[in-house]
Structure formats: C-alpha cells, structure tokens
Amino acid sequence: MKEQFYVVLGLVLLTFACTTPGDKVKLNPILEELANTKGKGILFGHQDDLAYGMDWSYVQGESDVKRVTGDYPAIFGWELGGIELEHTHNLDSVPFSAMKQLAIWGHQQGGINTFSWHPFSPIDSISSWNGDSVVVKHLIEGGAYHAAFKNQLDKVAQFFTALKDDSGQAIPFIFRPWHEMDGGWFWWGKKACTPAELKQLFHFTIDYLRNEKGLDQMLVAYSPDRNFDSRDEYLSWYPGDDVIDILGMDDYWDFKQPEGEKDVIRKLHIVIETAKEKGMPAALTETGCSNVTDSLWFTQKLGVVLSDPIINKELSYAMVWRNDPRVHFFFPYPGHKAEADAREFCLREDILLLNEFNTIKASAK
Ligand code: BMA
C-alpha cells in the first residue's frame, strides 16, 4: 500500500516537474484559444469598447468598432484604476458595476477581457502619473506600506473574483499590471524604482492574487513600452516565467516617427522570438494614433506592421486605446475621415474580429 502511494506521489511530482510554459495551454482556455488562433490571423482589441464611444455611453450592445465595421473587437480592454481606493467609478469615470457586467457580457459573446491598472499610490493616493515619486520600495515585503498595498490588492481580487458566468464559473481573463515600467511617467517606472524592486512588486502582486486569493483563471501579461533594442533589454524588468503568461509591448511612440513602423516591426520581432522561446503568446498590448489624425493610420501604419510575415504568423493580438470624446480617441467613429480606412483594415482576412474568432474556436472543437 505504502509503496503504491509513493509510486503515485512520484508520478504526480514528475508531472509538475515536467510542466513547461508551453503546458500552460492545457490549464487556461484563453491560452488554448490563442494557440489555436495563431497563424490564422491577429485578434483586434479596443479599450473600453463596450462602455462608451464618441457620442454614446452605456448603451447595451453598442461599440464604436461595431458601428464602423459591423462586428465587435475580439479583445475587450478595461481599466481598474480607482478600485484600490474603493471608488465606485474608475479613473476614466467607468462605473465598476457596469464594467463587471460588460466584461461578463463580452466573455459570453466569445471575447477575451484584458485589464490594465493605473493605481493611486497607497502611500498618499497620488495618481500613477508621478514618475519621480518613490513608491515601489515602500510597497514590497519589508516596506512600510506593504500592508496598505495588500489592502489594495484585496480590492482588485474582489473585483476579479466576481467575474463569473451564469453557472457561477470563474471567467478567465488577462491582467496587465505594472505596464510601461521602462518609461519614466509612472511611479513604478524607471525613474522611481530599480528593476529588482519592480520585479519584486510584480512577483508579490501575482503571487498574492493567485495563491492567497485563488485567482487561477488569471493570465498575466508583461507589457513594457518600446524602450528596448535586444532580448536582454526587453527582459530587464521581467519578473519570471512563474509570473508571466503573455509577452507584450506597448508602442505609440515609434508609430509617430518617420518610418517608425520599421522600429515597431524590429521590436515586435524581439517580443515574438522571446515568446517563442518561452512557449508564450505575443501581443501588441497597446497602440494607436491619438485622435486618428492620420486618416490612413490603420492600413498604412498598423496594417503594414501586422503584414510583416513573422508578425502576421506569430502575433496573437493588437489592441488600440479608448474612445473618450473628452480626452482622446483611437478608433474612428461613423463620419470620421479615417472611418473607411479603419473598416478596410478590420475587414482584412488576417485581422480577426469577434465573429471570426468565434468561428475559429468552433472549428477547433
Ligand atoms: C491613458 C489616457 C488617460 C486614462 C488612462 C487610463 O492613456 O487614456 O486619459 O486615464 O489611459 O485608462
């Protein structure tokens, strides 16, 4: 009996020891879906797509992407900033109650939800955009505000835990905290903390949410801005394969430079190569042209980047930022001069909106 027990225990341990990052595909439906979709096209995403657009807000079923293309994006982006202070609305005025319902609805339609987080500092509630403020080292283990930070994470966990489908099943999602750390604009950025401190913060954040709060349905994306020219530079803030599931990059800047698409392509190649080596999906986690001032941006800039043969075959998704009439917008609305161009881009066979994504998923079953 005892012998049998040890044989079984040995097999279980061996199975865990042999788990490589690639095996995560079996553990999370999103990874499986992204793996099945890879090479068939690139999923298109839009931040706050279902919440508001250029002349509407909180109208069930509305979406600026749908207004222009006839279909929803496949990736729905959301922002949690403010939840850590128990605000009822996020920092962009989206009620968390609506966000929850819309994210659940987006999942029920077949889309993938991804959450960014621009938290207010637990030290003095300053906003994320305080790139010189030393905060991170006070939040990690041993720091004076570690307990206050854990409180913030409790609020994030509460929101994530409530994302359940009708049958009470936890909805899988992507969390993308501590993004653009290689820039100098956030208090977790390169001016205010060291890579070692950021890695520790990142590690703690995910460890706490996964192991203390049981958020097994969560995938985590690593999303520096475009300040790297090599694999090592790209990974200089990387908290580890045990924390991260998806490798990404945010890039608005390079698109604004003359012939900047070449730099976007070069950097995405670095992301893709690293992702392949780790058995993870790769993504352009945030991009866009503010107010779509270049009316050919979608076909001539983003479209050119996504047509690169390696990117076309290997990239899982690309997401543009939100359409807020009070601040800025990154997807055109009906009547805007970039409308036809964005539609043409989205209707390309290799750019996948929600219906096409659902068809691919159905045929993979
Ligand atoms: C930024 C801008 C801000 C917004 C923030 C978080 O890029 O859109 O207006 O508060 O993202 O969503």
Side-chain angles (χ1 to χ4, degrees):
M1 210 35 201
K2 211 171 172 191
E3 254 169 42
Q4 269 173 352
F5 170 76
Y6 282 115
V7 170
V8 172
L9 182 70
L11 283 174
V12 169
L13 290 177
L14 194 69
T15 310
F16 276 104
C18 293
T19 301
T20 64
D23 289 334
K24 283 185 187 161
V25 166
K26 291 175 204 132
L27 305 177
N28 188 294
I30 294 180
L31 287 181
E32 198 179 336
E33 288 167 10
L34 295 183
N36 288 337
T37 308
K38 204 171 86 169
K40 301 194 176 86
I42 297 167
L43 301 168
F44 183 68
H46 187 213
Q47 180 78 359
D48 281 348
D49 186 78
L50 300 170
Y52 55 84
M54 291 305 281
D55 60 4
W56 61 273
S57 56
Y58 308 101
V59 182
Q60 179 67 43
E62 269 305 356
S63 147
D64 277 353
V65 170
K66 182 162 183 266
R67 284 183 168 198
V68 166
T69 68
D71 194 6
Y72 296 103
I75 306 280
F76 297 114
W78 305 102
E79 163 60 35
L80 293 176
I83 201 146
E84 66 287 347
L85 298 181
E86 294 183 86
H87 289 172
T88 54
H89 293 58
N90 82 355
L91 75 177
D92 303 321
S93 314
V94 180
F96 286 111
S97 52
M99 189 188 298
K100 179 185 143 193
Q101 281 176 356
L102 291 168
I104 293 173
W105 188 82
H107 165 78
Q108 286 166 337
Q109 306 311 302
I112 295 175
N113 292 299
T114 172
F115 294 86
S116 52
W117 187 31
H118 294 79
F120 293 86
S121 152
I123 300 178
D124 51 11
S125 298
I126 55 160
S127 88
S128 294
W129 289 266
N130 275 281
D132 292 310
S133 288
V134 177
V135 176
V136 172
K137 78 168 181 199
H138 302 298
L139 308 192
I140 52 190
E141 287 102 323
Y145 290 85
H146 185 57
F149 177 57
K150 268 178 29 181
N151 264 326
Q152 288 201 334
L153 289 179
D154 290 342
K155 308 295 176 299
V156 171
Q158 247 168 40
F159 180 85
F160 283 152
T161 306
L163 292 177
K164 293 195 169 136
D165 65 17
D166 290 342
S167 58
Q169 276 277 103
I171 290 176
F173 63 90
I174 300 168
F175 186 33
R176 192 171 66 90
W178 313 128
H179 65 304
E180 300 175 12
M181 71 300 268
D182 57 337
W185 42 92
F186 296 137
W187 50 250
W188 58 90
K190 67 173 177 198
K191 288 204 275 180
C193 68
T194 65
E197 287 164 349
L198 190 275
K199 285 180 198 179
Q200 209 183 326
L201 180 73
F202 214 141
H203 214 280
F204 179 80
T205 303
I206 302 311
D207 192 50
Y208 188 73
L209 293 177
R210 275 192 182 135
N211 302 328
E212 294 283 324
K213 298 290 162 183
L215 293 168
D216 299 328
Q217 73 278 30
M218 174 178 73
L219 294 176
V220 180
Y222 175 66
S223 214
D225 204 52
R226 39 82 216 171
N227 293 303
F228 57 89
D229 286 308
S230 67
R231 175 192 176 279
D232 287 354
E233 274 175 13
Y234 173 68
L235 290 177
S236 50
W237 304 84
Y238 185 69
D241 295 350
D242 52 339
V243 171
I244 299 296
D245 307 285
I246 296 172
L247 293 188
M249 157 176 97
D250 288 6
D251 198 348
Y252 298 87
W253 176 267
D254 286 320
F255 278 112
K256 290 187 272 189
Q257 314 311 313
E259 297 199 45
E261 309 86 82
K262 289 185 182 148
D263 285 323
V264 183
I265 291 174
R266 187 169 53 78
K267 291 170 195 180
L268 278 179
H269 283 178
I270 295 172
V271 177
I272 284 168
E273 253 167 58
T274 315
K276 277 178 87 173
E277 169 199 310
K278 292 180 180 297
M280 295 181 190
L284 180 53
T285 35
E286 258 189 62
T287 189
C289 169
S290 186
N291 298 339
V292 207
T293 48
D294 173 355
S295 60
L296 297 177
W297 188 83
F298 277 91
T299 58
Q300 302 305 308
K301 297 284 167 66
L302 183 60
V304 165
V305 166
L306 302 186
S307 295
D308 168 84
I310 295 174
I311 294 172
N312 203 261
K313 198 166 133 249
E314 302 288 346
L315 198 76
S316 285
Y317 63 89
M319 188 178 85
V320 297
W321 207 238
R322 62 203 194 99
N323 276 14
D324 184 340
R326 302 165 309 169
V327 188
H328 48 198
F329 61 95
F330 294 84
F331 197 82
Y333 48 88
H336 185 270
K337 63 180 170 36
E339 181 192 3
D341 185 71
R343 186 184 306 115
E344 185 184 327
F345 163 81
C346 284
L347 296 184
R348 271 171 48 165
E349 246 178 48
D350 54 347
I351 301 301
L352 306 174
L353 299 180
L354 189 58
N355 282 329
E356 293 149 308
F357 183 36
N358 282 332
T359 306
I360 291 173
K361 283 189 283 180
S363 65
K365 281 194 178 139

